[in-house]
Amino acid sequence: MMIQTLGKRYEVLQYEHSDSNMERFLCREEKSHGRCTIVRIRNKMWITKAMEFLMVQLENHHFTDFISCFAGEESLYIVMAYAEGISLAEKLQNEDCLLEERLAMGKNILQKILIQDMPAYFLQDCLSGENVILMPDLEVGFRYRLSGISGYDKVKYVHVLKGLGRLFELLFFREIKQKMIPPLNRFYHSLATGRYKDMLEIYREYTEMWNMVQNMPSEEIQMPGTRLFSLWDKVRKVFVLLKKILAFFLMLCAILFLIYTVRRQMQEDGEKRIFEYIGTLEIQDR
């Protein structure tokens, strides 16, 4: 199947989604052979509502991921860039990424967002572990689904913050959960509570946090909190081991006591008993 505009032809490589309102295809441009995502909107109410919004994006020269938008066959087509590489979710699941590497990923994600300067709807759409794509040099790209584009005007900055929060929680789950790195936890808390006014401030604060983490001694990063916490963690591990040993000893004592009780009962039942009378009848030895 081919999708054709006045100047370009796109070969459909894969159907990714289809419903009564829209379709999404993975395509390849015939001349450049570059892959892209094409979304076909069939719902006429959606087209009417989104048309002006999408035409404005054609004038946003920073938003290079928005390649084209055109009408045809009573539908509206949107052509988006398709980043080549491995998804963030897949990389974190299959590889043991060092903290330094994950910090670089976070910075590159924020840089990509600033460079693209895209509206909240598009940004919120690509902020997931599956849609953030990493290249071998950790450069970042995005993939777009454009689900529910008719509600583009309902997506606000607060939704972008929530998406970023989930993304950074994915990147630094262990460090955030165990409160291992105070500068990182302060950044994440400020992000999650909506304290940053725009993406530029988020990028500046993240860069400052990254510099602070790089200057931290490695022994302070390996364990949560301070050296006192490290000492307490060692004591806690010893205490856990002692509890297991004590539990085993108590179980062993219980088993030995049970064996002793059973054997004693068996001995008492096996002893001979001599009776001199049965009722009023005297029993005499012969």
Side-chain angles (χ1 to χ4, degrees):
M1 175 180 173
M2 300 293 294
I3 298 175
Q4 186 168 352
T5 70
L6 291 176
K8 293 184 177 181
R9 286 166 52 89
Y10 299 93
E11 177 188 1
V12 175
L13 302 177
Q14 180 181 336
Y15 285 84
E16 293 189 341
H17 175 81
S18 179
D19 59 37
S20 60
N21 297 309
M22 60 172 286
E23 294 176 308
R24 184 171 61 248
F25 313 98
L26 174 61
C27 299
R28 180 170 54 210
E29 204 274 317
E30 190 175 50
K31 292 182 179 178
S32 67
H33 302 290
R35 296 204 292 180
C36 60
T37 296
I38 294 184
V39 175
R40 177 189 180 189
I41 303 176
R42 296 186 295 190
N43 186 307
K44 290 181 172 51
M45 292 183 64
W46 286 23
I47 295 173
T48 302
K49 184 175 182 180
M51 178 68 80
E52 183 177 356
F53 168 69
L54 294 172
M55 291 300 107
V56 170
Q57 306 318 311
L58 291 175
E59 303 300 320
N60 182 357
H61 301 296
H62 298 289
F63 191 13
T64 55
D65 278 1
F66 189 92
I67 297 174
S68 179
C69 180
F70 59 90
E73 300 176 354
E74 299 184 344
S75 300
L76 181 65
Y77 292 86
I78 307 168
V79 185
M80 304 296 299
Y82 181 88
E84 302 285 357
I86 183 173
S87 72
L88 176 64
E90 186 178 355
K91 185 174 181 65
L92 294 178
Q93 182 178 358
N94 298 333
E95 300 180 25
D96 185 17
C97 300
L98 299 175
L99 174 63
E100 183 177 357
E101 187 178 14
R102 287 179 283 127
L103 285 168
M105 294 177 197
K107 186 174 184 180
N108 290 343
I109 290 171
L110 294 176
Q111 284 181 339
K112 178 69 173 180
I113 291 172
L114 284 176
I115 291 171
Q116 288 295 309
D117 189 26
M118 66 184 82
Y121 167 75
F122 288 96
L123 182 52
Q124 189 266 347
D125 181 68
C126 63
L127 289 180
S128 70
E130 292 72 27
N131 289 345
V132 173
I133 306 301
L134 295 167
M135 301 164 202
D137 59 356
L138 298 186
E139 286 298 311
V140 170
F142 297 132
R143 292 177 186 170
Y144 301 86
R145 300 181 184 276
L146 305 191
S147 302
I149 194 170
S150 63
Y152 75 89
D153 53 340
K154 296 179 181 178
V155 180
K156 306 299 181 183
Y157 178 65
V158 64
H159 300 109
V160 171
L161 290 180
K162 289 181 179 178
L164 276 175
R166 289 190 295 268
L167 208 57
F168 282 109
E169 186 176 3
L170 179 66
L171 268 172
F172 307 110
F173 178 78
R174 177 170 174 264
E175 289 82 2
I176 292 172
K177 183 178 180 181
Q178 297 184 5
K179 299 182 179 179
M180 296 172 62
I181 308 173
L184 175 58
N185 277 275
R186 286 194 295 269
F187 169 81
Y188 175 76
H189 178 73
S190 296
L191 181 65
T193 54
R195 295 185 180 181
Y196 298 130
K197 63 181 181 180
D198 54 33
M199 291 304 305
L200 184 58
E201 184 180 9
I202 293 174
Y203 178 76
R204 287 172 178 168
E205 292 297 321
Y206 184 89
T207 303
E208 183 177 344
M209 177 274 293
W210 187 21
N211 292 331
M212 292 176 65
V213 173
Q214 286 183 318
N215 293 326
M216 289 177 64
S218 59
E219 63 270 16
E220 291 188 12
I221 297 178
Q222 291 172 358
M223 293 299 298
T226 63
R227 291 183 177 87
L228 182 61
F229 188 100
S230 178
L231 178 61
W232 160 248
D233 191 71
K234 292 178 181 178
V235 172
R236 180 181 60 82
K237 290 179 179 179
V238 172
F239 180 69
V240 170
L241 179 61
L242 290 175
K243 281 180 64 178
K244 292 180 179 179
I245 294 174
L246 180 60
F248 175 79
F249 179 77
L250 291 175
M251 183 176 66
L252 182 61
C253 290
I255 293 172
L256 292 174
F257 179 77
L258 180 61
I259 294 172
Y260 169 77
T261 303
V262 171
R263 290 187 63 184
R264 183 177 178 184
Q265 185 66 39
M266 291 175 65
Q267 289 175 353
E268 290 179 353
D269 291 344
E271 289 180 356
K272 294 182 179 179
R273 298 187 180 182
I274 302 173
F275 297 93
E276 296 180 351
Y277 291 89
I278 297 178
T280 58
L281 177 64
E282 183 181 2
I283 302 174
Q284 296 180 354
D285 292 334
R286 291 183 180 180

